[in-house]
Structures are given as structure tokens and as C-alpha cells.
Amino acid sequence: MNEEKVTSLGQQEPETEQKAGFKQSRRHFLKLLGGGIAVSFVLQDAFALLSDTPTSALAQKATSKQIGGWLHISEDDIITVYTGKVEVGQNIRTSLAQVVAEELRVPVSSIKMVMGDTDLVPYDAGTFGSRSTPSMGPQLRKAAATARTMLLGLAAAEWKTDKSSLRIADGKIINTKNNNSLSFGQLTKGKELLEAVVEDAALTPTEQWKIAGTSVPKVNGREIITGKHTYVSDMKIPGMLQGKILRAPAYGATLGAVDLAAAKAIPGVVVVQDGNFVGVAAPDRATAAKAIAALQPAWETKPQPSRAEIFDYLKKNASTPRSGGRGSSEKGSIAEGMAAAAKTLTSTYNIDYIAHAPMEPRAALAHWENGKLTVWTGTQRPFGVQDDLAKDFGIDKENVRVIMPDTGSAYGGKHSGEAAHEAARLAKAAQKPVKLTWTREEEFTWAYFRPAGVIEVSSGVKADGTLTAWEFHNYNSGPAGIETPYTVPNQQIQYHPVDSPLKQGSYRGLASTANIFVLESQMDDLAQLVNMDPLAFRLKNLQEPRLRAVFE
């Protein structure tokens, strides 16, 4: 696409099927965003993706590989960036605002970030894997650079001059020939312009950065420090009730029967039962807690492994790894490699379950209105929670809005939306908004954990420090980072899945944290076994150039 081209609603363009679709879609974008100029980021075919669909659904049509963010400059000089990425304490609200401010030559304070609202932002698979800055940052840089080119083109047309005589500073286009200036808002007034991002947009070289890559105050830092920022657990809306859930006494317990009469007799209390799900909604948290305490449940429990038994349990209940499955590989013969070794070493490592312990426990506020569900909740996957809620309640996805306010940390522990589901069920029954905030005890008991595991590693080495054999078994902890980067002729590496007795899921570096710790600990011990310097031992057995460069 030629970067000089600016398409307005009043211009004529060739009516190919794709461009006609884009022309129709502009109206949806601009109805959502308002007058001014808008830039959409589309990695593949911009026109084909923007079909004529309602605005609330438009954001959900493309995959995360196709569309990443929108940028809008309004007639009142407000620069708004729309992204599906969310803020859970990693400060991407600031870093993403910085890259846009850099390309548009404006202060960071001029950028308004709209994040994680499924009605307003493009689809995003989730905020995880430390990918927000390296993947979303470049996308938004291109969007801002495209917008900059559009602004320069508008100013050049207004003044009937060449763009080379113009520069941008502090939200204004300046004509260097006569020092005349126009603000972004003055240029966009009365216009409805939409452009797809130019893939080869001229980005500001990193050595010329004045804002991006520098230390700036956290965008909403003052609000957080002063307590003005509203977390989900702080939110209030008129008529709101407080929710609480009846929790089982142990994992795997099933509800035999429950007497709801005493709880229902408490004034203002709504009691909901659906199978094993029992919850209450009440005018305040104290009354909700009183209603839960008044329930008389009969639970059927089953034996669970104790802390002392858990590692034996994981080994005994492991599945046979699939040949060629993730985390499993084999090369040469372990028996021959061990026979060729001057010395061998076998070690076992146990990995505990670890709770994420976020500063803000899970919380959600749910509200049903005219058949549409709106949920405010802290989640790394707003669109994933939207999908799950739509399936849970048997409604169209367009009738579910998930809003993710900046949330008090996650560490990989808020991919799911348990509190959102619970609050929504209570709100539907109560026919009033319901807020549900987990206690710290609930967070430590019922949220998912980093997987526990057992890792067994056996190795053989010659007297000169050459590795001959490497056998590595991970039970339950996970396959990420399980492969050894070192050159070993005889290898057997296997990941053994286990039906965990506790809920488990992502936690920061996933299984690579434990696997690499064990791998490198074994390398240290092998170096000591043959009286070699640990660095010299590694370099002797390493051909991979990138890691060699790191060590050197």
C-alpha cells in the first residue's frame, strides 16, 4: 500500500470486492471511534479482514496474527490507542504509550491507552509469554508512524507545500518555511479518515529516540500511589450486591445435599444452587459470609495424597510419554553412552507446587442488562473469558463484554476467569449487579498452582570432560526448556504427564525454570566430578553459537 494514500469517506476508489468491504467497514470504525483519523493494524490483507460487521463484533473477527491495535486521533487532539493487551503490573501501559508518543512526537501524557475491553479493542489471544513489548510495541510504532505520515500529508495539502518542509513537535505540524503551525485536532476537524498500517512505514531509528527506551514516570503511577486507581475489588455500581461461594472442604469433594433454608431466611439474601455450585448474593460482605455459614452442606470426599506422599504420587501416576510427543526425544543408546563414561552421575530433584499469590486476589463485578452480560475482572485473557462466559450461558459472544481494569499482578496465574463465572451466575439469579472478591484463603486454595514435579537426570562423562550420555525425565512439571543445548551423542529426554491432584497452570517461565535449573546444576556437578572449571566444561560440550557467545 502506498503510504501517500489517504482514503476519506467522500473519495471514490476502485470497487474491488475487498476494497468495497473496507469502504463499508470504515463506517463501523468511525462510528465506534468518532471523527478524526484512525489507523488499523493488519498484518495480512487489510481490506479482506475488515468485513461489514457490527462494531462490537469487528474486534473479534481477526486472529492475533492479523490485527494488533487501533490508533485514533480525534478532533479535540486526543490520541487514543486500542489494544487487547492488559496491564497486570508489568507497566506496558507506559511502555506502549512511549512508542506511540515517540513516533507522533508528542509527550507520553498525550496518549490515552484503552486496554482489554472486548467491546472496544481488537482481538488478542492474551497477555503472556513476555510478548507484549516485543510484539505489540512494533505494531503500535507502525500505526503511529502511519498516522504521522497521514498528518504530514494533510498539512502539506492544507498549505500546498511539500512534506519535506514540515516537521512535527508537541502535537503540532510546523511549516519550517514560515513557522505556521496546525494542531493535530485542527488538521483532523471535520474529517473521517481511516487507513491501514503501512508495513514499511518510516520508523524513528532507535538512536534518535527521545521518549521510547527512556525512563519516564509510570502513566497512572500517581493514581495507584494515592489510591485513586480503582481495582475490581474497589468497584461499586448502584444496586450492587456482594457475592460469596460455598467452597468444598477438599479437592475432588462432591456435594451430597445442602439445606438452604436458613440462608434464604436472612433478609436481602439470594441463594443460588446449580449442582455442586452454591453461592449467595447479599447487601454486604458480612451478610454474605453469614449466609454461607448458615448453609448446612453434606460433602462426600475422597482420599488425597499428603505433602509427604506427593512426589511418589506423581511418579506412580505418570502417563507413558508419546513417542515424538512434546518434550520427548531420543538419540543413540543410553546404555552404550553410560558404558563409555569414566564417571556417571544420577540426581533427583523435587519441584513444589507454588501459589501465584497476586497482590489482588481474583475479583469480578457482573451486571446483566437487556440480555447482555458485562463483567469487570482481572484476567490476562479478556477474549478467552468472553468466549467461556458465552458458552456457559448459551449466548452470543457479542452479548458478553469483558472489561479488564489494570489489575494487581498475575504472574501467569490469571489466564482463567473463575470469579467472572461465579459473579455472573449470581448476578443472573439475583437480577442485580454482583461483585465477588476471593479471600486470600480462597486464592491460595482454589486458584491454580505452578505444577509440582519430579525430575530425574542421569549422565555419563569421559575423564577429559566429554559428555557421553544424558537421560532426563520430567514428571508433571512440564516440557518447556527440557532439551539440552549441549552436544551429547546418546540422549533420552522424556516428559511424563500426570493427572495432578491440584489445579495447575502457567507460572512465569513455566517448566523451563525447573528444567534449566536441573540441567545446569547437573552440568556444575559433572564439571566438579572431572575436576574441570564449570565454564570450560560447558564450552567443551557446546556447539550452539548463541549460547557460546553468552558464556564467553
Side-chain angles (χ1 to χ4, degrees):
M1 184 181 295
N2 189 310
E3 67 172 9
E4 299 291 334
K5 176 187 174 228
V6 177
T7 304
S8 75
L9 290 180
Q11 291 176 328
Q12 296 297 314
E13 60 183 27
E15 290 297 324
T16 65
E17 181 180 354
Q18 292 181 350
K19 291 188 178 181
F22 181 64
K23 187 175 181 180
Q24 293 166 354
S25 306
R26 286 195 308 251
R27 300 185 184 276
H28 292 304
F29 270 108
L30 295 164
K31 182 181 177 184
L32 175 67
L33 304 178
I37 66 172
V39 176
S40 66
F41 190 96
V42 181
L43 285 175
Q44 295 184 12
D45 187 340
F47 300 114
L49 287 170
L50 302 180
S51 58
D52 190 17
T53 54
T55 50
S56 61
L58 185 61
Q60 304 163 23
K61 288 294 179 183
T63 69
S64 59
K65 293 181 179 179
Q66 295 168 326
I67 187 165
W70 301 339
L71 185 149
H72 182 251
I73 301 176
S74 67
E75 299 176 356
D76 55 4
D77 285 315
I78 295 175
I79 303 166
T80 308
V81 177
Y82 299 82
T83 174
K85 297 299 179 191
V86 296
E87 176 64 62
V88 284
Q90 77 279 44
N91 207 24
I92 60 168
R93 181 176 290 278
T94 301
S95 63
L96 295 179
Q98 279 181 271
V99 298
V100 174
E102 182 67 60
E103 296 298 341
L104 286 174
R105 317 288 190 255
V106 297
V108 174
S109 58
S110 299
I111 308 299
K112 177 185 175 184
M113 299 290 300
V114 176
M115 309 175 75
D117 182 333
T118 59
D119 263 16
L120 299 180
V121 304
Y123 173 85
D124 189 280
T127 304
F128 43 71
S130 301
R131 299 304 306 160
S132 295
T133 298
S135 64
M136 184 57 64
Q139 294 185 16
L140 294 181
R141 284 184 69 195
K142 290 179 182 178
T146 300
R148 186 181 72 231
T149 300
M150 292 175 71
L151 290 164
L152 288 169
L154 290 171
E158 179 81 14
W159 286 322
K160 296 180 174 55
T161 188
D162 190 81
K163 285 197 297 184
S164 62
S165 64
L166 307 179
R167 67 183 182 91
I168 299 182
D170 295 324
K172 294 180 179 180
I173 310 290
I174 301 164
N175 188 336
T176 58
K177 291 180 179 179
N178 54 25
N179 214 33
N180 287 342
S181 66
L182 286 169
S183 72
F184 290 176
Q186 288 173 318
L187 280 169
T188 58
K189 200 158 190 70
K191 296 180 175 65
E192 292 184 334
L193 307 175
L194 176 65
E195 182 70 32
V197 162
V198 178
E199 278 298 311
D200 58 353
L203 303 178
T204 305
T206 55
E207 61 270 15
Q208 295 179 20
W209 281 0
K210 295 181 176 61
I211 302 172
T214 68
S215 180
V216 300
K218 184 178 177 71
V219 165
N220 55 350
R222 179 174 292 275
E223 286 78 7
I224 291 172
I225 290 170
T226 60
K228 186 178 178 181
H229 175 67
T230 303
Y231 294 92
V232 175
S233 47
D234 302 320
M235 289 180 171
K236 295 178 182 177
I237 59 177
M240 183 183 80
L241 301 177
Q242 297 283 347
K244 196 164 183 61
I245 305 301
L246 177 67
R247 305 293 181 192
Y251 273 86
T254 55
L255 185 62
V258 59
D259 187 346
L260 309 178
K264 287 182 175 180
I266 300 173
V269 170
V270 177
V271 182
V272 181
Q273 182 181 12
D274 181 8
N276 270 5
F277 177 88
V278 179
V280 302
D284 54 70
R285 295 179 72 173
T287 304
K290 179 182 176 182
I292 286 291
L295 297 171
Q296 298 181 38
W299 293 98
E300 298 174 10
T301 60
K302 61 181 182 180
Q304 298 285 344
S306 68
R307 172 68 176 78
E309 301 168 324
I310 188 61
F311 301 115
D312 285 340
Y313 175 93
L314 294 175
K315 276 203 68 178
K316 289 176 182 176
N317 289 274
S319 303
T320 303
R322 290 186 296 110
S323 176
R326 188 179 175 211
S328 296
S329 61
E330 194 164 350
K331 181 169 66 175
S333 166
I334 291 295
E336 291 177 9
M338 288 296 194
K343 293 190 176 181
T344 62
L345 177 66
T346 297
S347 308
T348 299
Y349 292 78
N350 295 331
I351 300 104
D352 281 302
Y353 288 105
I354 294 183
H356 296 80
M359 289 178 280
E360 182 185 13
R362 281 161 172 74
L365 171 56
H367 180 40
W368 291 84
E369 189 173 26
N370 299 324
K372 180 164 184 172
L373 169 64
T374 300
V375 177
W376 293 262
T377 192
T379 174
Q380 294 170 254
R381 296 173 54 252
F383 286 95
V385 173
Q386 180 195 38
D387 284 340
D388 293 342
L389 288 168
K391 291 174 185 174
D392 258 13
F393 293 99
I395 58 179
D396 290 338
K397 193 164 57 174
E398 287 74 17
N399 288 326
V400 179
R401 181 181 187 181
V402 175
I403 304 171
M404 200 302 211
D406 292 6
T407 290
S409 73
Y411 317 124
K414 290 182 177 175
H415 287 201
S416 49
E418 298 93 339
H421 290 258
E422 293 166 350
R425 291 173 87 168
L426 295 176
K428 190 173 180 66
Q431 298 184 7
K432 289 184 178 181
V434 172
K435 183 173 77 174
L436 185 139
T437 304
W438 282 25
T439 64
R440 184 60 63 184
E441 180 183 2
E442 287 175 310
E443 185 69 40
F444 273 98
T445 306
W446 297 105
Y448 61 81
F449 298 85
R450 183 192 80 170
V454 177
I455 298 178
E456 295 178 337
V457 55
S458 300
S459 309
V461 61
K462 292 181 179 179
D464 66 355
T466 302
L467 289 169
T468 63
W470 186 268
E471 186 175 5
F472 195 101
H473 296 270
N474 178 306
Y475 298 89
N476 190 63
S477 174
I482 198 172
E483 299 286 343
T484 177
Y486 302 103
T487 302
V488 192
N490 304 289
Q491 300 181 26
Q492 186 184 49
I493 299 171
Q494 291 185 330
Y495 164 58
H496 305 260
V498 181
D499 185 9
S500 167
L502 295 181
K503 288 173 65 178
Q504 55 188 32
S506 299
Y507 184 101
R508 287 289 185 166
L510 310 182
S512 59
T513 306
N515 285 329
I516 292 170
F517 177 84
V518 171
L519 188 157
E520 296 297 347
S521 295
Q522 185 81 348
M523 291 296 287
D524 278 339
D525 292 345
L526 288 167
Q528 187 175 24
L529 203 61
V530 293
N531 297 313
M532 283 187 70
D533 173 78
L535 176 58
F537 176 67
R538 283 172 168 81
L539 292 175
K540 182 180 181 66
N541 292 282
L542 182 62
Q543 294 179 1
E544 202 280 314
R546 196 167 176 218
L547 187 54
R548 281 192 71 91
V550 171
F551 284 146
E552 289 168 348

